[in-house]
Amino acid sequence: MQIHPLQDFLVLLALAVVAVALLRRAHLPPVLGYLLAGVLAGPHGLGWIHESAALELLAEIGVVFLLFTIGLEFSLPQFLAMRRTVVGLGGAQVVLGTAAGTGIALLYGVSWEGAVVVGGALALSSTAIVVKQLADQLELQSRHGRTAVGILLFQDLAVVPFLVLIPILAGNGAESMWWPILLALLKGVLALAVMFALGRYALRPLFREVTRTHSAELFTLTVLMVALAAAWITHELGLSLALGAFLAGLMLGETEFRHQIEADIRPFRDVLLGLFFITIGARLDIFQLPDIWPQVVALVGFLVLGKGLLVAALTRVAGNEAGVAVRTGMVLAQGGEFGFALLALAMKHELFDPATSQVVLTAVVVSMALTPFLVRYNGVVAKGLLHRSYLQRRTERQREVAEATHQLQDHIILCGYGRVGQNLAKFLRDEAQEYVALDLDPIRIRDARDAGERVFYGDATHRDLLEAAGLGRARALVVTFDEVNAALRILGRVRAEYPDLPILVRTRDDTYMEELSEAGATEVLPESLEASLMLATELLLTLGVPTGEVMRLLENARSSGYRQLRGLFTGAELDAGERAPAGGERLHTVLLPADAPSVGWRLAELGLEEQGVQVSAVRRGGIRGEEPTPDLELREGDALVLRGPSERLEWAEKRLLGG
């Protein structure tokens, strides 16, 4: 019976739901669940999913969107500044890794043509897993994160020559080998020129025209079109789909639309990436494991230990610190998704037998399954192995900070020196207030230091570094970045020793206000709510409302914890870039008809407050009353404005209307 592709797609979606739910509960990366689901349900397992060109295309589009978002993360100047890492370090890793993998394959009796392909497949790492895990851990912009991404970019580029080389090896056409490779490189240069030209002269005007329509659907459609069109262009030039998507993301990362584009593309990327990992797991034949497990274990050891040590050594030789080298080596110690493309093409040209292919495939899948753990604990392992080195470097940084700040008194400590931190610093300088800033972006720190600003490299979540910055003498501490977990760590490590120190925390909205306040924040300042207050201030002043009255309204809003601003009518969709209200809380209006059972009752008798629902206002006869008293008796035609979580609002509506 012919299986419709939709059936396989539904099975994949069901498996993805189960995998993510189970792995999230176990606090493990979802990638592991995707791989395991693919192994169990694939054609070599339970046979629930089958090989399908449609599914393969969807999975490949997931990688396309991943590379597109990677490009958004990297600015063009930053990418050009990384050319030494991309070409030098990445090139050395691919060449030496391929040579080592080729030698191992030759030892197992693989022909030299097939051994070269095996070596190339083993030299590649998993861009999909590594980048996603680094992004989840907020390490994508760290030194080891940027180094790893630079190497991965060269690996993705190196896939092209290998794809050209495999048919040549199969045809024993060594005499004509260099011309196809040179042609592929020329195509790569052409692709770069085309994408840079389109990015400079077409993409920004295109998105400006789209945004003028104020249509979220059109904006999302344009993002999808640009990402897939860029992938198609490089594919038509004989290069990988992912390369074009990365270049398009790189171009759009320079525009003012970057953050909205990233928000729009993320749902598509995450769903299709999950399908991609399931299809990877489906390639594994678990019934062959009893016969090939010694070779698999040896190859996994080569990938995790050998490849990790090679990357670490090259990173160290390139001038990076030992800790950065170890962390980069751990992050890249696995096989990658593009290796499967090389193996599949080599099998098609019969460069080695299916048994060899299954050994390599199984080892790569196993190494990819280990990757989330290697990436998650790369810092712990590096600090354990290089404890003295890490301790010495941290001590040197603390000494540098302490020497530069030992004379400061009643100064401000800024945790983070991005846009918000720099704007605060400008106001402090205008008022002749001293400040110290800690940040993790070395380029930003270098530029700020060259300009004479007191900014230092350091992780503000470490209390000893804050102490070196004069925490005991500081007048206030400000968390300027929007990273809730880091802010909670800072609060937990500072508040216990300094209960009276004012600590101001910036957040994007009110989602984590209570959690941050309970952790010890003196003030939590949600950007979206403060923007509303600023607009209200300017509007009321424009309307002629006395300044004193406006200030009173602002003070009431802030002193109440923005209570009257924190519920909203969400409608069919939120505004661009806006998150759902805190805890799912929203506003909902219930109109009481004549036969409503609640007519004639007092608010206190309904028990709404006990169920987490507040009546924020009642409109009666065209007059709206805010904060009604509990003894208000409800009448026919009253409109009650309720605030609370969605599921509780549904209960409250039934309570008011019956049913």
Side-chain angles (χ1 to χ4, degrees):
M1 181 180 67
Q2 185 176 3
I3 303 296
H4 194 281
L6 180 60
Q7 178 178 326
D8 284 338
F9 185 64
L10 289 173
V11 172
L12 285 176
L13 285 178
L15 291 172
V17 170
V18 174
V20 172
L22 292 178
L23 271 294
R24 286 295 185 191
R25 290 192 175 188
H27 302 289
L28 293 174
V31 173
L32 296 178
Y34 291 135
L35 291 173
L36 180 60
V39 170
L40 294 178
H44 303 294
L46 299 175
W48 290 350
I49 54 178
H50 309 82
E51 293 185 4
S52 166
L55 292 180
E56 293 290 341
L57 177 60
L58 285 175
E60 193 167 6
I61 291 176
V63 180
V64 165
F65 286 153
L66 174 68
L67 268 294
F68 182 71
T69 54
I70 294 173
L72 291 172
E73 291 286 337
F74 282 81
S75 66
L76 183 57
Q78 184 181 17
F79 179 71
L80 295 176
M82 290 177 60
R83 60 187 180 275
R84 180 182 174 187
T85 299
V86 175
V87 178
L89 190 54
Q93 185 274 323
V94 169
V95 171
L96 295 178
T98 301
T102 301
I104 290 178
L106 289 173
L107 290 177
Y108 279 95
V110 181
S111 66
W112 76 267
E113 296 91 348
V116 171
V117 179
V118 171
L122 297 180
L124 305 177
S125 300
S126 176
T127 302
I129 297 179
V130 170
V131 172
K132 190 174 190 306
Q133 191 76 13
L134 286 174
D136 290 344
Q137 297 176 192
L138 303 177
E139 295 180 11
L140 201 56
Q141 295 298 330
S142 64
R143 287 177 295 171
H144 66 278
R146 289 197 297 269
T147 303
V149 170
I151 296 173
L152 287 168
L153 289 178
F154 188 88
Q155 290 180 359
D156 293 345
L157 293 171
V159 172
V160 178
F162 277 113
L163 294 175
V164 173
L165 184 61
I166 289 174
I168 299 173
L169 292 174
N172 295 319
E175 69 278 1
S176 60
M177 182 181 302
W178 296 109
W179 170 243
I181 294 178
L182 179 60
L183 182 61
L185 293 176
L186 292 175
K187 288 181 178 179
V189 173
L190 177 61
L192 289 171
V194 169
M195 294 308 302
F196 284 142
L198 289 175
R200 180 173 295 273
Y201 301 110
L203 291 183
R204 190 188 294 266
L206 171 64
F207 276 92
R208 283 178 178 168
E209 288 299 322
V210 169
T211 54
R212 286 173 184 163
T213 67
H214 301 287
S215 171
E217 293 86 353
L218 182 58
F219 189 91
T220 302
L221 286 172
T222 306
V223 171
L224 295 176
M225 181 193 72
V226 168
L228 295 176
W232 174 79
I233 289 173
T234 52
H235 176 71
E236 289 299 302
L237 290 172
L239 306 171
S240 69
L241 292 169
L243 176 61
F246 171 77
L247 294 176
L250 192 67
M251 295 297 99
L252 289 172
E254 295 296 307
T255 69
E256 62 271 29
F257 313 108
R258 165 189 166 187
H259 296 292
Q260 186 57 47
I261 291 172
E262 187 176 7
D264 283 353
I265 208 74
R266 185 180 295 118
F268 299 96
R269 179 199 68 185
D270 291 343
V271 170
L272 295 177
L273 264 183
L275 301 183
F276 167 77
F277 289 124
I278 292 178
T279 60
I280 293 299
R283 298 172 184 265
L284 186 63
D285 187 354
I286 57 177
F287 296 106
Q288 290 193 27
L289 283 178
D291 299 325
I292 62 175
W293 71 265
Q295 298 97 307
V296 170
V297 171
L299 203 51
V300 170
F302 166 75
L303 281 170
V304 175
L305 297 176
K307 187 176 183 179
L309 290 173
L310 173 63
V311 172
L314 292 173
T315 306
R316 189 75 175 97
V317 170
N320 292 282
E321 298 173 358
V324 175
V326 171
R327 299 181 76 168
T328 306
M330 290 186 64
V331 163
L332 298 179
Q334 78 284 135
E337 51 275 357
F338 289 121
F340 296 120
L342 301 186
L343 293 174
L345 186 58
M347 282 288 295
K348 179 180 178 180
H349 289 279
E350 300 180 349
L351 287 178
F352 41 71
D353 56 57
T356 301
S357 174
Q358 194 60 223
V359 170
V360 179
L361 175 65
T362 305
V364 171
V365 171
V366 172
S367 69
M368 291 172 72
L370 295 174
T371 300
F373 299 103
L374 294 174
V375 177
R376 174 177 290 185
Y377 298 108
N378 73 83
V380 175
V381 173
K383 291 174 184 177
L385 293 174
L386 304 167
H387 177 71
R388 182 175 299 179
S389 172
Y390 266 91
L391 188 60
Q392 180 181 358
R393 189 166 65 255
R394 184 185 296 182
T395 302
E396 292 173 354
R397 287 177 183 155
Q398 292 172 16
R399 186 182 303 115
E400 178 190 7
V401 174
E403 290 175 354
T405 61
H406 72 281
Q407 293 182 339
L408 295 182
Q409 193 76 27
D410 290 336
H411 57 290
I412 310 300
I413 299 178
L414 302 177
C415 301
Y417 204 63
R419 178 182 293 274
V420 175
Q422 292 175 45
N423 288 339
L424 284 177
K426 292 175 185 176
F427 283 104
L428 292 173
R429 286 197 301 272
D430 291 343
E431 293 298 319
Q433 294 286 334
E434 297 285 359
Y435 68 90
V436 178
L438 301 173
D439 200 89
L440 289 172
D441 190 319
I443 298 176
R444 181 186 299 156
I445 294 168
R446 182 198 63 198
D447 292 342
R449 294 284 294 273
D450 290 344
E453 301 186 32
R454 196 178 284 113
V455 184
F456 300 93
Y457 183 91
D459 188 346
T461 62
H462 295 156
R463 201 185 78 185
D464 48 4
L465 189 61
L466 293 174
E467 294 281 6
L471 185 62
R473 308 184 305 275
R475 189 172 181 179
L477 182 145
V478 185
V479 180
T480 69
F481 45 72
D482 179 28
E483 295 175 12
V484 175
N485 292 331
L488 289 172
R489 289 199 297 271
I490 293 173
L491 290 168
R493 292 166 183 174
V494 172
R495 184 53 77 200
E497 290 293 326
Y498 301 94
D500 299 324
L501 177 69
I503 303 178
L504 282 66
V505 180
R506 164 210 171 192
T507 64
R508 190 186 309 173
D509 50 39
D510 59 328
T511 305
Y512 303 101
M513 277 191 64
E514 281 78 10
E515 189 174 358
L516 290 166
S517 297
E518 291 172 2
T522 308
E523 294 288 345
V524 181
L525 304 170
E527 292 178 354
S528 60
L529 302 188
E530 281 293 326
S532 301
L533 291 180
M534 292 301 99
L535 284 171
T537 300
E538 294 300 322
L539 176 61
L540 294 176
L541 291 175
T542 301
L543 295 175
V545 178
T547 303
E549 175 66 12
V550 174
M551 293 300 104
R552 185 188 67 80
L553 292 174
L554 291 180
E555 179 59 29
N556 288 342
R558 291 190 175 114
S559 62
S560 66
Y562 307 93
R563 182 180 177 186
Q564 64 265 47
L565 304 180
R566 298 184 63 188
L568 64 141
F569 302 106
T570 56
E573 59 184 30
L574 296 172
D575 291 339
E578 188 176 26
R579 290 191 289 201
E585 189 174 271
R586 63 185 183 90
L587 295 180
H588 179 59
T589 304
V590 177
L591 186 64
L592 300 183
D595 58 349
S598 57
V599 172
W601 286 44
R602 291 185 298 113
L603 284 178
E605 297 173 338
L606 294 170
L608 301 181
E609 292 272 357
E610 290 79 357
Q611 296 297 324
V613 177
Q614 296 177 332
V615 180
S616 63
V618 174
R619 181 179 59 80
R620 176 179 293 173
I623 300 175
R624 174 171 170 143
E626 304 287 343
E627 305 287 339
T629 60
D631 59 354
L632 176 70
E633 183 176 311
L634 299 180
R635 300 179 184 174
E636 174 190 350
D638 283 351
L640 278 67
V641 181
L642 308 179
R643 178 194 291 117
S646 299
E647 66 278 4
R648 292 289 84 198
L649 291 177
E650 184 178 352
W651 172 87
E653 184 173 24
K654 292 180 180 178
R655 174 72 168 155
L656 290 166
L657 301 180

